[in-house]
Amino acid sequence: MNTARTNVTEIRQFSRERKQSAGANGQPLDDCREISVLKLAQAMAESLPPIIARLLTLAEKSMGLEMYHLYMDTMELARDHGAELVADFRTQYLQGFNRACRHEARLDHDPAHPHLSLMEPDDLEQSLAEETLANAIFNACSEELFGLDKRMGLLINDPDLSLGESPLGPEVIGAALMHALARREASIKVRLLLVSQLNKHLPARVRDIYREINERLIKRGVLPTIRVGLRRSGGGAGPAATAGGSEAGQGDIFDTLRRLMSGGATPAPAAPTIVAPSMPGGTMAAAVPGGVGGGQASAFMQALNRLQRGQFDTEVLHDLDPASFVSGQVNVLHGLRHSGVANVMGPMDTMTLDIVAMVFDYVLDDNRIPDAIKALIGRLQIPVLKVAMLDKSFFSHKQHPARQLLDTLATAAIGWDASEGHDSGLYRKVDELVQGILNRFDDKLDVFAEALADLEHYLAEEARAASRQVGRSARIIRQQEEIDLARIIAHEEVQSRVLGQALPEVIRAFLADYWEKRLASLHARREGDDSSWNAAIDTMSDLIWSVSPKFDPDDRKRLVEKLPSLLKRLDTGLTELGVADAERDLFFTRLVHCHAQAIKASLADEEPGAADPFVDPAVIGDVPVLDEPVDFKPVAVPDVEEASAQEAVADLPLLDLPPAAVGSEAPLLKRGSWIEFTQDDGVLVRAKLTWVSPRRGIYLFTNRHGQRAISIGANGLAAKLQSGEVRIIDDVPLLDRAVNRLMERLGQGGH
């Protein structure tokens, strides 16, 4: 108890000192309140325009009326009521901030309203949406929250936040947004959809706000340094208790690698790598007992900095080729391990160097990455080594900016073609980013985060330009599919009426050669109007009836009455098909003979089988019904002239279809998957799945720019995958693949 009183006294003493030192600038807590209210409202306002654009795109591509209205209603809520929503959010957040400062729990956290009580379905969904948004913010800002929670806890006299939430916490933001949405007259589905879209835009902006507040508090003397404790084995520490913010549940991969490299023996405990994400700029400060310490640490890191910038000490690196550091094509870390630079390294850093060297063995051997881009990535060996030595969570934390950058570079490189050359946009961008890291990186992760953001922006712009090309190619395929489908339906309509009937051969040939084309043409351009199609079907039925034997006098009378209209409709149809006059005249001459035979057959008792234009259906047998092609060879899609590409192509659906949707043998590929195959000329080509037709499951593949489009049917693609002619390029992130292969190798006793 005495300890508790002492702690409280110290905290209040600190608060009084901070208040006195704040002077005219106000208290730090007031400063945090003002900055967060203004900046969060601004972040909300800035998140809405891209969401509105995205929802409009989704509405245009939606396949069902229900989803279309959902997207449009949500878009209209964000567009027409965005300012009101931001204002309400600002008010609700300010109230939540003040409640948290006073340690007043929100209503849904009150003991009188326990979480285990029954909730209405809409309330439950809103609660889950609130938690999802809070979790998204926490996952994006875990490093910033580590220091911010401790500083805010100090300012509100609740160091461990045991009395409630941090006023700046993700929970307060999530609750404020849901309360603001509840004030809008919108369905629960609309509100939840808007929250799901905000999950994609808001967390990154909140992270910047947290960084700014951390920096301001540090400048004002609020915990400028934070002591980081080690995670106890079996403890229940949360993400903030782990140095570097390693992801919970992934385990300490670095420790696992150390054990495997030690032959299964338990190595000396890893000293804590202290990462102070709350420091301005995300500076990494290493203090590694058993590694490099004090002046040696400084000297060693300075040596790596010089190597990174291409400054070589020939006396120390006499066994290394300076050119290999620049080329990026050689694993220089193995050579560095045995050089004079490594003499000051302790056991921990030595093992880190060995692990990173083996990881880059796999990176430089990865056949997914073209050699030219691989050489650029290889130039990052020294910076990555520095990151790993300063922050061991690099191996476990998949959201680590340096790791994300390497993974994104490798993924982007899959579609790069050597024929593009070093003047291509992607190569120049990667070269620019790599050189920027080599020039700027000392110990601040912001360099990697900025490079990652720059690369993602470039790739997004490239993807937008490619989507326009894909839309043009997909439109060609969709139009061809409509034509093919119309031909199939027309064929089936004709066959359903001629099978089993005794018809003159000239009529059977006419329907197959001419009227089937007429029906296909009308079906392809029906556009919701079935009148012309139905009229053509009726004309076909009337023609078939007209040439059948007329035993009833009334039928003969009806034939005479119907003939003028029938002949006119047939002539109109042939004219629209562009049939030459001579062919039309020949057909009508033969048709007159067929009608004469139909009447004559009823007037004379002719023997069966006599020479006449009728054919017994038993002699014909079944006419094969045209079906969809079983297979497609890859077919090049012709380029579309820019002038014809002005049509609206944005409405093309881009679908990820399961095999059942397009045939049992269809491969399960998602849009964005890459394949590799060899052309007839022996050239190895990579292509990305950019569209799957919803009607017949035709796969459209293009290059990175949406060009060089080829299409192939589902069954044909499945056969080529099975035969090995086509290979799917796996999409496992680069560092995941390298670390997994390294662990497999070490687990099997490899060196």
Coordinates of all heavy atoms in Angstrom, one line a residue, residues 678-741:
T678 N 6.5 -21.4 -71.6 CA 7.4 -21.2 -72.7 C 6.7 -21.1 -74.0 O 5.9 -21.9 -74.4 CB 8.4 -22.4 -72.8 OG1 9.1 -22.5 -71.5 CG2 9.5 -22.2 -73.9
Q679 N 7.0 -20.0 -74.8 CA 6.3 -19.8 -76.1 C 6.9 -20.8 -77.1 O 7.9 -21.5 -76.8 CB 6.6 -18.4 -76.5 CG 5.9 -17.3 -75.6 CD 6.0 -15.9 -76.2 OE1 5.2 -15.1 -76.1 NE2 7.2 -15.6 -76.7
D680 N 6.3 -20.8 -78.3 CA 6.8 -21.7 -79.3 C 8.2 -21.3 -79.8 O 8.9 -22.2 -80.2 CB 5.8 -21.6 -80.6 CG 4.5 -22.1 -80.3 OD1 4.3 -22.9 -79.3 OD2 3.5 -21.8 -80.9
D681 N 8.6 -20.1 -79.6 CA 9.9 -19.7 -80.0 C 11.0 -19.9 -78.9 O 12.1 -19.5 -79.0 CB 10.0 -18.2 -80.4 CG 9.5 -17.3 -79.2 OD1 9.2 -17.8 -78.1 OD2 9.4 -16.0 -79.5
G682 N 10.5 -20.6 -77.8 CA 11.4 -20.9 -76.7 C 11.6 -19.8 -75.6 O 12.4 -20.1 -74.7
V683 N 11.0 -18.7 -75.8 CA 11.1 -17.6 -74.8 C 10.2 -17.9 -73.6 O 9.0 -18.3 -73.8 CB 10.7 -16.3 -75.5 CG1 10.8 -15.2 -74.4 CG2 11.7 -16.0 -76.6
L684 N 10.8 -17.8 -72.4 CA 10.0 -17.9 -71.2 C 9.2 -16.7 -70.9 O 9.8 -15.6 -70.9 CB 11.0 -18.2 -70.0 CG 10.3 -18.8 -68.8 CD1 9.7 -20.1 -69.0 CD2 11.4 -18.9 -67.7
V685 N 7.9 -16.8 -70.7 CA 7.0 -15.7 -70.5 C 6.3 -15.8 -69.2 O 5.9 -16.9 -68.8 CB 6.0 -15.6 -71.7 CG1 5.0 -14.5 -71.4 CG2 6.7 -15.4 -73.0
R686 N 6.1 -14.7 -68.5 CA 5.3 -14.7 -67.3 C 4.0 -13.8 -67.6 O 4.1 -12.8 -68.3 CB 6.1 -14.1 -66.1 CG 7.1 -15.0 -65.6 CD 7.9 -14.4 -64.5 NE 8.9 -15.3 -63.9 CZ 9.7 -15.0 -63.0 NH1 9.7 -13.8 -62.4 NH2 10.6 -16.0 -62.5
A687 N 2.9 -14.2 -67.0 CA 1.7 -13.5 -67.2 C 0.8 -13.6 -66.0 O 0.9 -14.5 -65.2 CB 0.9 -14.1 -68.4
K688 N 0.1 -12.5 -65.7 CA -0.7 -12.4 -64.5 C -2.2 -12.6 -64.9 O -2.7 -12.0 -65.9 CB -0.5 -11.0 -63.9 CG -1.3 -10.8 -62.6 CD -0.9 -9.5 -61.9 CE -1.2 -8.3 -62.7 NZ -1.0 -7.0 -62.0
L689 N -2.9 -13.3 -64.0 CA -4.4 -13.5 -64.2 C -5.0 -12.2 -63.8 O -5.0 -11.8 -62.7 CB -4.9 -14.6 -63.4 CG -6.4 -14.9 -63.4 CD1 -6.9 -15.2 -64.8 CD2 -6.8 -16.0 -62.5
T690 N -5.7 -11.5 -64.8 CA -6.3 -10.2 -64.6 C -7.8 -10.2 -64.7 O -8.4 -9.3 -64.2 CB -5.7 -9.2 -65.6 OG1 -5.9 -9.7 -66.9 CG2 -4.2 -8.9 -65.3
W691 N -8.4 -11.3 -65.3 CA -9.8 -11.3 -65.4 C -10.3 -12.7 -65.7 O -9.6 -13.5 -66.4 CB -10.2 -10.4 -66.5 CG -11.7 -10.2 -66.7 CD1 -12.6 -9.5 -65.9 CD2 -12.5 -10.6 -67.8 NE1 -13.8 -9.5 -66.4 CE2 -13.8 -10.2 -67.6 CE3 -12.2 -11.4 -69.0 CZ2 -14.9 -10.5 -68.5 CZ3 -13.3 -11.6 -69.9 CH2 -14.6 -11.2 -69.6
V692 N -11.4 -13.1 -65.2 CA -12.1 -14.4 -65.5 C -13.5 -14.1 -65.9 O -14.2 -13.4 -65.2 CB -12.1 -15.3 -64.2 CG1 -12.8 -16.6 -64.6 CG2 -10.7 -15.6 -63.7
S693 N -13.8 -14.5 -67.1 CA -15.1 -14.2 -67.6 C -16.2 -14.9 -66.8 O -16.1 -16.1 -66.5 CB -15.3 -14.6 -69.1 OG -15.3 -16.0 -69.2
P694 N -17.2 -14.2 -66.4 CA -18.2 -14.9 -65.5 C -19.1 -15.9 -66.3 O -19.7 -16.7 -65.6 CB -19.1 -13.7 -65.1 CG -18.9 -12.6 -66.1 CD -17.5 -12.8 -66.7
R695 N -19.2 -15.8 -67.6 CA -20.1 -16.7 -68.3 C -19.5 -18.1 -68.6 O -20.1 -19.1 -68.3 CB -20.5 -16.0 -69.6 CG -21.7 -16.8 -70.3 CD -22.0 -16.1 -71.6 NE -22.5 -14.7 -71.4 CZ -23.8 -14.5 -71.0 NH1 -24.6 -15.4 -70.8 NH2 -24.2 -13.2 -70.9
R696 N -18.3 -18.1 -69.1 CA -17.7 -19.4 -69.6 C -16.3 -19.6 -68.9 O -15.7 -20.6 -69.2 CB -17.5 -19.4 -71.1 CG -18.8 -19.5 -71.8 CD -18.7 -19.2 -73.3 NE -17.8 -20.2 -73.9 CZ -17.3 -20.1 -75.2 NH1 -17.7 -19.0 -75.9 NH2 -16.5 -21.0 -75.7
G697 N -15.9 -18.8 -68.0 CA -14.7 -19.1 -67.3 C -13.4 -19.0 -68.1 O -12.5 -19.8 -67.9
I698 N -13.4 -18.1 -69.1 CA -12.2 -17.9 -69.9 C -11.2 -17.0 -69.0 O -11.6 -16.0 -68.5 CB -12.5 -17.1 -71.2 CG1 -13.5 -18.0 -72.0 CG2 -11.2 -16.9 -72.0 CD1 -13.0 -19.3 -72.4
Y699 N -10.0 -17.5 -68.9 CA -9.0 -16.8 -68.1 C -8.2 -15.8 -69.0 O -7.7 -16.2 -70.1 CB -8.0 -17.8 -67.5 CG -8.5 -18.6 -66.4 CD1 -9.5 -19.6 -66.6 CD2 -8.1 -18.4 -65.1 CE1 -10.0 -20.4 -65.6 CE2 -8.6 -19.2 -64.0 CZ -9.5 -20.2 -64.3 OH -10.0 -20.9 -63.3
L700 N -8.1 -14.6 -68.6 CA -7.4 -13.6 -69.3 C -6.1 -13.3 -68.5 O -6.1 -12.9 -67.4 CB -8.2 -12.3 -69.5 CG -7.5 -11.1 -70.1 CD1 -7.2 -11.4 -71.6 CD2 -8.3 -9.8 -70.0
F701 N -5.0 -13.4 -69.2 CA -3.7 -13.2 -68.6 C -3.0 -12.0 -69.4 O -3.1 -11.9 -70.6 CB -2.7 -14.4 -68.7 CG -3.2 -15.5 -67.8 CD1 -4.0 -16.5 -68.3 CD2 -2.7 -15.6 -66.5 CE1 -4.4 -17.5 -67.5 CE2 -3.1 -16.7 -65.7 CZ -4.0 -17.6 -66.2
T702 N -2.3 -11.2 -68.7 CA -1.6 -10.0 -69.3 C -0.2 -9.9 -68.6 O 0.0 -10.5 -67.6 CB -2.4 -8.7 -69.1 OG1 -2.4 -8.3 -67.8 CG2 -3.8 -8.8 -69.6
N703 N 0.6 -9.0 -69.2 CA 1.8 -8.7 -68.5 C 1.5 -7.6 -67.4 O 0.4 -7.3 -67.1 CB 2.9 -8.2 -69.4 CG 2.5 -6.9 -70.1 OD1 1.5 -6.3 -69.8 ND2 3.4 -6.4 -71.0
R704 N 2.5 -7.1 -66.8 CA 2.4 -6.2 -65.6 C 1.6 -4.9 -66.1 O 0.9 -4.3 -65.3 CB 3.7 -5.8 -65.1 CG 3.7 -5.2 -63.7 CD 5.1 -4.9 -63.1 NE 5.6 -3.7 -63.7 CZ 6.6 -3.6 -64.7 NH1 7.1 -4.8 -65.1 NH2 7.0 -2.5 -65.2
H705 N 1.8 -4.5 -67.3 CA 1.1 -3.3 -67.8 C -0.3 -3.5 -68.4 O -0.8 -2.6 -68.9 CB 2.0 -2.7 -68.9 CG 3.4 -2.3 -68.4 ND1 3.7 -1.3 -67.5 CD2 4.6 -2.9 -68.7 CE1 5.0 -1.3 -67.3 NE2 5.6 -2.2 -68.0
G706 N -0.8 -4.8 -68.3 CA -2.1 -5.1 -68.8 C -2.1 -5.3 -70.3 O -3.1 -5.3 -71.0
Q707 N -0.9 -5.5 -70.9 CA -0.7 -5.7 -72.3 C -0.3 -7.1 -72.6 O -0.3 -8.0 -71.7 CB 0.4 -4.7 -72.9 CG 0.1 -3.3 -72.6 CD 1.3 -2.4 -72.8 OE1 2.4 -2.8 -72.8 NE2 1.1 -1.1 -73.0
R708 N -0.1 -7.4 -73.9 CA 0.2 -8.8 -74.4 C -0.8 -9.8 -73.8 O -0.4 -10.8 -73.3 CB 1.6 -9.2 -74.0 CG 2.7 -8.2 -74.5 CD 4.1 -8.7 -74.1 NE 5.1 -7.7 -74.4 CZ 6.4 -7.8 -74.1 NH1 6.8 -8.8 -73.3 NH2 7.3 -6.9 -74.4
A709 N -2.1 -9.5 -74.0 CA -3.1 -10.3 -73.4 C -3.3 -11.6 -74.1 O -3.2 -11.7 -75.4 CB -4.4 -9.6 -73.4
I710 N -3.5 -12.7 -73.4 CA -3.8 -14.0 -73.9 C -4.9 -14.6 -73.1 O -5.1 -14.3 -72.0 CB -2.6 -15.0 -73.9 CG1 -2.1 -15.2 -72.5 CG2 -1.5 -14.5 -74.8 CD1 -1.1 -16.3 -72.3
S711 N -5.8 -15.4 -73.8 CA -6.9 -16.0 -73.1 C -6.8 -17.5 -73.3 O -6.3 -18.0 -74.3 CB -8.2 -15.5 -73.6 OG -8.4 -15.9 -75.0
I712 N -7.3 -18.3 -72.3 CA -7.3 -19.7 -72.3 C -8.5 -20.2 -71.5 O -8.9 -19.6 -70.5 CB -6.0 -20.3 -71.8 CG1 -5.9 -21.8 -72.0 CG2 -5.8 -19.9 -70.3 CD1 -4.6 -22.4 -71.7
G713 N -9.1 -21.3 -72.0 CA -10.2 -21.9 -71.2 C -9.8 -22.6 -70.0 O -8.6 -22.9 -69.8
A714 N -10.7 -22.8 -69.1 CA -10.4 -23.4 -67.8 C -9.8 -24.8 -67.9 O -8.8 -25.1 -67.3 CB -11.6 -23.4 -66.9
N715 N -10.5 -25.6 -68.7 CA -10.0 -27.0 -68.9 C -8.7 -27.0 -69.6 O -7.8 -27.8 -69.3 CB -11.1 -27.8 -69.7 CG -12.3 -28.0 -68.9 OD1 -12.3 -27.9 -67.7 ND2 -13.4 -28.2 -69.6
G716 N -8.5 -26.1 -70.6 CA -7.2 -26.1 -71.3 C -6.1 -25.7 -70.4 O -5.0 -26.3 -70.4
L717 N -6.4 -24.7 -69.5 CA -5.3 -24.3 -68.5 C -5.0 -25.4 -67.5 O -3.9 -25.6 -67.2 CB -5.8 -23.0 -67.8 CG -4.8 -22.5 -66.7 CD1 -3.5 -22.1 -67.3 CD2 -5.5 -21.2 -66.1
A718 N -6.1 -26.1 -67.1 CA -5.9 -27.2 -66.1 C -5.0 -28.3 -66.8 O -4.1 -28.8 -66.1 CB -7.2 -27.8 -65.7
A719 N -5.2 -28.6 -68.1 CA -4.4 -29.6 -68.7 C -3.0 -29.2 -68.9 O -2.0 -30.0 -68.7 CB -5.0 -29.9 -70.1
K720 N -2.7 -27.9 -69.2 CA -1.4 -27.4 -69.4 C -0.6 -27.4 -68.0 O 0.6 -27.6 -68.0 CB -1.4 -26.1 -70.0 CG -1.8 -26.1 -71.5 CD -1.8 -24.8 -72.2 CE -2.2 -24.9 -73.6 NZ -1.4 -25.8 -74.4
L721 N -1.4 -27.1 -66.9 CA -0.7 -27.1 -65.6 C -0.3 -28.5 -65.2 O 0.7 -28.8 -64.7 CB -1.7 -26.5 -64.6 CG -1.9 -25.0 -64.6 CD1 -3.1 -24.6 -63.7 CD2 -0.6 -24.3 -64.1
Q722 N -1.2 -29.5 -65.6 CA -1.0 -30.9 -65.2 C 0.2 -31.4 -66.0 O 1.0 -32.2 -65.5 CB -2.2 -31.7 -65.5 CG -2.1 -33.2 -65.0 CD -3.4 -33.9 -65.2 OE1 -4.4 -33.4 -65.7 NE2 -3.4 -35.1 -64.7
S723 N 0.3 -31.0 -67.3 CA 1.4 -31.5 -68.1 C 2.8 -30.8 -67.9 O 3.8 -31.2 -68.3 CB 1.1 -31.3 -69.6 OG 1.0 -29.9 -70.0
G724 N 2.7 -29.7 -67.1 CA 3.9 -28.9 -66.8 C 4.2 -27.8 -67.8 O 5.2 -27.1 -67.7
E725 N 3.4 -27.7 -68.9 CA 3.6 -26.6 -69.9 C 3.5 -25.3 -69.2 O 4.1 -24.3 -69.7 CB 2.7 -26.8 -71.0 CG 2.8 -28.1 -71.8 CD 1.8 -28.2 -72.9 OE1 1.8 -27.3 -73.9 OE2 0.9 -29.0 -72.8
V726 N 2.6 -25.2 -68.2 CA 2.4 -23.9 -67.5 C 2.6 -24.2 -66.0 O 2.3 -25.2 -65.5 CB 0.9 -23.4 -67.7 CG1 0.6 -22.2 -66.8 CG2 0.7 -23.1 -69.2
R727 N 3.3 -23.2 -65.4 CA 3.6 -23.3 -64.0 C 3.1 -22.1 -63.2 O 3.2 -21.0 -63.7 CB 5.2 -23.4 -63.8 CG 5.8 -24.7 -64.4 CD 7.3 -24.6 -64.5 NE 7.7 -23.5 -65.3 CZ 7.7 -23.6 -66.7 NH1 7.3 -24.7 -67.3 NH2 8.2 -22.6 -67.4
I728 N 2.5 -22.4 -62.1 CA 2.1 -21.3 -61.2 C 3.2 -20.8 -60.4 O 3.9 -21.6 -59.7 CB 0.9 -21.7 -60.3 CG1 -0.3 -22.1 -61.2 CG2 0.5 -20.6 -59.4 CD1 -1.5 -22.7 -60.4
I729 N 3.5 -19.5 -60.4 CA 4.5 -18.9 -59.5 C 3.9 -18.7 -58.1 O 2.9 -17.9 -58.0 CB 5.0 -17.6 -60.1 CG1 5.6 -17.9 -61.5 CG2 6.1 -17.0 -59.2 CD1 6.1 -16.6 -62.3
D730 N 4.5 -19.3 -57.1 CA 3.9 -19.2 -55.8 C 4.0 -17.7 -55.3 O 4.9 -17.0 -55.7 CB 4.6 -20.1 -54.8 CG 6.0 -19.7 -54.4 OD1 6.2 -18.7 -53.6 OD2 7.0 -20.2 -55.0
D731 N 3.1 -17.4 -54.4 CA 3.0 -16.0 -53.9 C 3.4 -15.9 -52.5 O 3.0 -14.9 -51.8 CB 1.6 -15.5 -54.1 CG 0.5 -16.3 -53.4 OD1 0.9 -17.4 -52.9 OD2 -0.7 -15.9 -53.5
V732 N 4.2 -16.8 -52.0 CA 4.7 -16.7 -50.6 C 5.7 -15.5 -50.5 O 6.6 -15.4 -51.4 CB 5.4 -18.0 -50.2 CG1 5.9 -17.8 -48.7 CG2 4.4 -19.1 -50.2
P733 N 5.5 -14.6 -49.6 CA 6.5 -13.5 -49.5 C 7.9 -13.9 -49.4 O 8.2 -15.0 -48.9 CB 6.0 -12.8 -48.2 CG 4.6 -13.1 -48.0 CD 4.5 -14.5 -48.5
L734 N 8.8 -13.1 -50.0 CA 10.2 -13.4 -50.1 C 10.8 -13.8 -48.8 O 11.5 -14.8 -48.7 CB 10.9 -12.2 -50.7 CG 12.5 -12.2 -50.8 CD1 12.9 -13.3 -51.7 CD2 13.1 -10.9 -51.1
L735 N 10.7 -13.0 -47.7 CA 11.3 -13.2 -46.5 C 10.7 -14.5 -45.8 O 11.5 -15.2 -45.2 CB 11.3 -12.0 -45.6 CG 12.5 -11.1 -45.6 CD1 13.7 -11.9 -45.0 CD2 12.8 -10.6 -47.0
D736 N 9.4 -14.7 -45.9 CA 8.8 -15.9 -45.4 C 9.5 -17.1 -46.1 O 9.8 -18.1 -45.4 CB 7.3 -15.9 -45.7 CG 6.6 -15.1 -44.7 OD1 7.2 -14.4 -43.9 OD2 5.3 -15.0 -44.8
R737 N 9.6 -17.1 -47.4 CA 10.2 -18.2 -48.1 C 11.6 -18.5 -47.7 O 12.0 -19.6 -47.5 CB 10.0 -18.0 -49.6 CG 10.3 -19.2 -50.5 CD 9.8 -19.0 -51.9 NE 10.4 -17.8 -52.5 CZ 9.8 -16.6 -52.7 NH1 8.6 -16.5 -52.3 NH2 10.4 -15.6 -53.2
A738 N 12.4 -17.4 -47.6 CA 13.8 -17.5 -47.3 C 14.0 -18.1 -45.9 O 14.8 -19.0 -45.6 CB 14.5 -16.2 -47.4
V739 N 13.2 -17.5 -44.9 CA 13.4 -18.0 -43.5 C 12.9 -19.4 -43.4 O 13.5 -20.2 -42.7 CB 12.6 -17.0 -42.6 CG1 12.6 -17.6 -41.2 CG2 13.3 -15.7 -42.5
N740 N 11.8 -19.8 -44.0 CA 11.3 -21.1 -43.9 C 12.3 -22.1 -44.5 O 12.5 -23.2 -43.9 CB 9.9 -21.2 -44.7 CG 8.8 -20.5 -44.0 OD1 9.0 -20.2 -42.8 ND2 7.8 -20.2 -44.7
R741 N 12.9 -21.8 -45.7 CA 13.9 -22.7 -46.3 C 15.1 -22.8 -45.4 O 15.7 -23.9 -45.3 CB 14.2 -22.2 -47.7 CG 13.1 -22.4 -48.7 CD 13.4 -21.9 -50.0 NE 14.6 -22.6 -50.6 CZ 15.2 -22.3 -51.7 NH1 14.8 -21.2 -52.4 NH2 16.2 -23.0 -52.2

